[in-house]
Amino acid sequence: MGERTYRRQQWEEWYQNARAYADTFGNLLVPHDYVTADGYRLGRWIERQRAMHNGVIPSSLDRERCLALERIGMVWKLEKRLSWETWMAMVQEYHQEYGDLDVPTDYTAKNGCQLGYWIKEQRKKYKGGYLAEKQIRDLERFDMIWSFYERKDWEDWLRLAEMYYQTHGNLLVPASYQTADGDRLGSWIFVQRERYWGANGRRPLSREQVKALEQISMVWGLDRVREEKWNAMVRWIEEYKNQYGCLPLRPSMKAPDGRSMGNWISLQRTALTRGKVAEDRKMRLEGLGIYPFGSTKTPL
């Protein structure tokens, strides 16, 4: 059997192994490390077929071979088999049982779906920049660790938050903010707020953790976060205008927290045009020279 492990098989021979797997398990969701009784690495072969079909590597698959695989249950993209919400329900169940999202690749959920392989695919998509911000946040709510080499303790994240506070004077971290080393501090702060309020089944923060964050001006309520961010942007624009004598209208002009001052001003002008701005805010904007679109007054 040892010799056969390394003997090259023709595509048709691999296909027969795949067919035998499908006949036995009722699907073709073969774990990455699955090896047949004869020693063939069927899991890796299936992954290679997916990679070729999805354009990740050069392909030798023709339409006939693709159809043959589909007839025995090939799933080219796991996300298309089930909805995102269905996978997230499995993620939540796993997290409730084990307290983390360190799912073994060969782990199968109670409904028979290969959650471990799906989690592995999400890590690949994250690394390639193919996950939406909401999807990233959904997974991070359940302690998703994107790279096992980047695992951090709570105290490590607190130190990053302290560094942000020392630089910016607040903890109003944008949700998409990353440190220079790529650590997603914005997502971590978002999760701490959820833990504080007990949202989405998160385990609560300890009294010491709450105190540590409040010492660096943590804002727990999202309404207050939005208010603080709005006020901070007004202050930064006011400082810019005092220094340069005009408004920072170009989108490329960034505030200290990374947001575009030019885009922010444009959004405020749109809100003013639609009458969606409270009177006190309207007065502050006009004091800066920010007026509705179509106004006879132009931004100063």
Side-chain angles (χ1 to χ4, degrees):
M1 186 173 78
E3 293 182 71
R4 295 197 67 191
T5 302
Y6 300 99
R7 182 175 70 80
R8 292 177 64 85
Q9 288 198 116
Q10 298 298 316
W11 192 91
E12 290 72 16
E13 293 177 284
W14 281 112
Y15 178 77
Q16 292 306 319
N17 285 328
R19 186 169 185 172
Y21 182 96
D23 289 343
T24 301
F25 296 99
N27 61 57
L28 213 54
L29 300 172
V30 188
H32 165 77
D33 55 357
Y34 179 83
V35 179
T36 69
D38 292 330
Y40 294 115
R41 299 182 182 276
L42 181 62
R44 292 187 181 181
W45 183 81
I46 289 292
E47 283 190 352
R48 185 173 178 80
Q49 307 313 296
R50 283 199 185 100
M52 286 192 289
H53 181 272
N54 295 327
V56 177
I57 60 175
S59 177
S60 60
L61 280 176
D62 54 25
R63 179 172 174 76
E64 184 179 344
R65 287 181 174 181
C66 288
L67 289 173
L69 286 167
E70 288 169 4
R71 280 195 291 270
I72 58 174
M74 184 62 156
V75 177
W76 300 114
K77 293 188 183 232
L78 291 179
E79 291 82 352
K80 291 185 177 180
R81 180 170 177 258
L82 296 171
S83 70
W84 177 262
E85 290 71 23
T86 301
W87 285 110
M88 288 308 302
M90 287 184 263
V91 165
Q92 183 174 5
E93 185 176 359
Y94 183 95
H95 185 270
Q96 288 174 345
E97 184 170 353
Y98 297 100
D100 57 42
L101 217 56
D102 298 343
V103 189
T105 304
D106 60 354
Y107 177 85
T108 301
K110 294 175 183 177
N111 60 5
C113 294
Q114 292 191 306
L115 179 62
Y117 187 82
W118 184 82
I119 288 290
K120 179 182 176 182
E121 288 296 301
Q122 304 320 298
R123 288 196 175 102
K124 286 182 180 178
K125 291 183 71 175
Y126 172 83
K127 186 176 181 181
Y130 298 117
L131 279 182
E133 189 67 32
K134 179 184 179 301
Q135 292 174 323
I136 293 171
R137 191 174 297 168
D138 283 349
L139 288 165
E140 288 181 344
R141 283 180 181 141
F142 297 101
D143 301 325
M144 179 67 155
I145 296 173
W146 300 109
S147 170
F148 289 106
Y149 300 104
E150 297 174 1
R151 184 188 297 272
K152 283 181 167 56
D153 292 329
W154 195 91
E155 289 73 19
D156 296 324
W157 285 107
L158 178 63
R159 281 191 285 273
L160 293 177
E162 289 171 340
M163 290 172 62
Y164 184 96
Y165 174 76
Q166 291 166 6
T167 301
H168 301 283
N170 61 55
L171 215 55
L172 304 173
V173 188
S176 59
Y177 177 84
Q178 297 184 28
T179 67
D181 293 329
D183 297 306
R184 297 181 59 83
L185 182 61
S187 292
W188 184 81
I189 290 292
F190 185 90
V191 169
Q192 303 319 296
R193 289 195 181 100
E194 286 197 328
R195 292 182 63 186
Y196 179 84
W197 293 109
N200 295 306
R202 303 293 310 188
R203 65 181 183 275
L205 291 168
S206 69
R207 188 172 300 175
E208 291 75 18
Q209 289 172 329
V210 171
K211 183 178 179 181
L213 286 167
E214 288 180 345
Q215 286 176 339
I216 51 176
S217 301
M218 180 64 158
V219 178
W220 300 112
L222 290 181
D223 287 342
R224 191 179 163 203
V225 169
R226 286 188 282 268
E227 181 71 18
E228 292 284 348
K229 284 189 172 184
W230 195 92
N231 290 330
M233 184 63 85
V234 168
R235 287 194 300 271
W236 290 324
I237 291 173
E238 188 174 27
E239 290 171 4
Y240 182 96
K241 187 176 181 181
N242 289 338
Q243 183 174 355
Y244 298 102
C246 62
L247 290 172
L249 298 175
R250 292 199 301 274
S252 59
M253 293 178 173
K254 304 292 186 181
D257 67 351
R259 289 182 291 163
S260 166
M261 291 192 287
N263 287 345
W264 187 88
I265 290 173
S266 180
L267 287 172
Q268 302 312 304
R269 295 187 69 196
T270 298
L272 285 167
T273 303
R274 296 175 178 173
K276 301 289 187 181
V277 179
E279 191 62 30
D280 60 329
R281 286 191 173 187
K282 180 180 178 182
M283 292 176 63
R284 292 188 68 186
L285 291 171
E286 290 180 350
L288 285 171
I290 299 172
Y291 305 105
F293 286 111
S295 172
T296 54
K297 299 178 181 179
T298 57
L300 303 176

